[in-house]
Each structure stands twice: as C-alpha cells, then as structure tokens.
C-alpha cells in the first residue's frame, strides 16, 4: 500500500482528531454561562425532576434532559456534562463523512468533514451543555437516512425505518426538527417522487401516533407560558419573520460586501435551485 493511499485513508480520522483536540480543551476551560446552569439544575436530581423541569421551566421536549440526567449519574461536573455534546459532535462528523460519500462521491469526504468540524457554529454547539449538538446529530442522521430511504433510485427499506426512528427521537429532543421533516417531504413533491411520497405518508402516520404525547406537552407549555406570546402575527408577517431569520443564519447580516444584495442573492439562489429541481428532477437523484 502506497503512502498516498495510507494518508488518504487517514484524512477523515485526522480531521476528527483535530476537532476533538480543539473542543476538548474548550470544554474543560470555558466558563459556565446562564443556559448551562439551567441544564445542570434541570439534570441535578432524577429523571422525574428532569421531565418536570423540561416541561415547565425549560419549555422544551424532555429527551435531552433525561439523557443528560442519566449521563451525569457518572459525574456531576460541568466538563462531563459538556462531554455529552462533544460525543454528539464526533458522531455527527462520522455521519457527515457518509453523507459526503453519497452526495459527492468524486470528492474526498475529508473536505466536507473538515468544513463542518471547524465551523464556528459547530464548535460552539460541541462545547455547550445544551441540546444543540444532539439536534445537529439528529438532523444529520435524518438527511442521511432520508437520502438512502427516499431520495435514491434504489432505496433501502431499512433506511426508512431508521429515518422515522430518528425523526421521532429527534422531535422528543427538539421541536424544530419537525421543520426539517416538512422540508424533506417537500423535496419529494418538488422532485415528483410520487411513490416515495406515498410511502413517506404511510410511515408518517405511525410516527404521528408515536409523538402524540408531545402534543399534550406543547399544549401544556403554550398555556403555561402564554406570557411569552405577544399576540398572533398575520400569516404573511409570520412568513416574512421566518424568511429573515433564514437570511441571518445563511449569510452574515453585517458583512459589508453583502449589504444591499444579501436578500436578492439568497432569494435568487433558492428560486434557481427550485426551478432546476422541478425541470430536471432526474439530475438531482
């Protein structure tokens, strides 16, 4: 085996090691901040307490806090709590490598893994004792198994079960993952994958039954914390608000070269991709 082959094979593991070399010292040295104190308090007793706090104080789904409670049974330290997120970030990079091999097989996956591993947002999520890293892991698994179960021309039935398992688990960890699932079913409609769309709906019924307790949880949380709501927004105003939040995360709002053209640039990109997928669905398979 040549040296080039050996180096190529070790590129992804080396990127993963580099990521850990960055985030582990940060997890050990960074001061605690407000939201992390909430996590430590919520997970400081037993599972029942974590469930109650997640419902009435955190106003979030309970799974992350239940998992962190069990994790912290081994050690109550802040570093150990953060290591749960570090573990999730490392697993995410493994999934990103698999995604890169499927979407861009002509490129070495280390490029994609490296861009994620050292992205400031990802590093931040990896060292926070909050739900962020777990959410990123679930979303990456949703993309991977959606690709294998619904996107490809030769889908794997097992991947569909895996996809819906992580959808249900993900929703019990973070409500916002429901938007990703909605976007993915929208992709099937955009690409006119009618058979895959019907299969998606059949699985969605089963998943809907599995998340019924979350509907009760959302009801309790919205009624308990109604003071957080400042009146209902009209549909168009709400859509405009969400659209602007997408811009804020997709492109930096304060970067001078983008001021004045940011909205047009991102809107044009979205419309171009949608039009391309609609006219050439076979090229996106």
């Amino acid at each position: 085996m040549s040296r080039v082959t050996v180096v190529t094979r070790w590129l992804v593991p080396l990127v993963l090691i580099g990521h850990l070399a960055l985030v582990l010292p940060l997890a050990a040295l960074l001061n605690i901040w407000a939201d992390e104190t909430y996590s430590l308090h919520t997970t400081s007793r037993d599972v029942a307490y974590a469930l109650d706090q997640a419902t009435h104080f955190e106003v979030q789904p309970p799974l992350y806090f239940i998992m962190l409670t069990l994790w912290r049974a081994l050690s109550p330290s802040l570093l150990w709590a953060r290591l749960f997120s570090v573990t999730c970030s490392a697993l995410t990079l493994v999934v990103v490598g698999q995604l890169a091999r499927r979407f861009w097989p002509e490129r070495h996956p280390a490029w994609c893994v490296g861009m994620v591993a050292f992205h400031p947002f990802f590093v931040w999520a990896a060292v926070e004792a909050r739900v962020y890293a777990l959410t990123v892991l679930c979303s990456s698994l949703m993309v991977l198994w959606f690709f294998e179960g619904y996107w490809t021309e030769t889908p794997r039935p097992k991947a569909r079960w895996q996809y819906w398992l992580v959808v249900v688990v993900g929703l019990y960890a973070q409500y916002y993952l429901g938007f990703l699932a909605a976007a993915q079913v929208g992709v099937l409609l955009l690409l006119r994958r009618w058979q895959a769309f019907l299969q998606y709906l059949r699985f969605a019924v089963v998943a809907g039954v599995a998340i019924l307790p979350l509907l009760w949880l959302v009801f309790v949380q919205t009624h308990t914390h109604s003071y957080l709501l400042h009146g209902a927004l009209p549909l168009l105003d709400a859509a405009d608000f969400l659209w602007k939040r997408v811009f804020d995360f997709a492109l930096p709002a304060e970067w001078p070269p983008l001021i004045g053209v940011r909205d047009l640039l991102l809107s044009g990109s979205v419309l171009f991709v949608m039009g391309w997928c609609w006219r050439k669905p076979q090229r996106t398979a």
Side-chain angles (χ1 to χ4, degrees), residues 19 48 75 101 112 123 134 136 151 153 156 159 162 182 206 210-211 223 252 254 266 280:
H19 170 77
S75 172
R101 291 183 177 91
C112 291
V123 172
L134 177 61
V136 175
W151 183 287
E153 295 295 340
R156 295 192 304 111
Q162 292 170 319
V206 178
I211 63 172
H223 283 72
E254 301 300 328
L266 192 57
K280 305 289 184 181

Side-chain angles (χ1 to χ4, degrees), residues 185-205:
V185 74
V187 167
L188 296 179
L189 292 173
L190 184 64
L191 299 181
R192 291 171 278 183
R193 301 285 185 84
W194 308 123
Q195 183 177 359
F197 172 71
L198 293 176
Q199 292 169 341
Y200 189 100
L201 291 184
R202 285 197 290 268
F203 276 88
V205 172

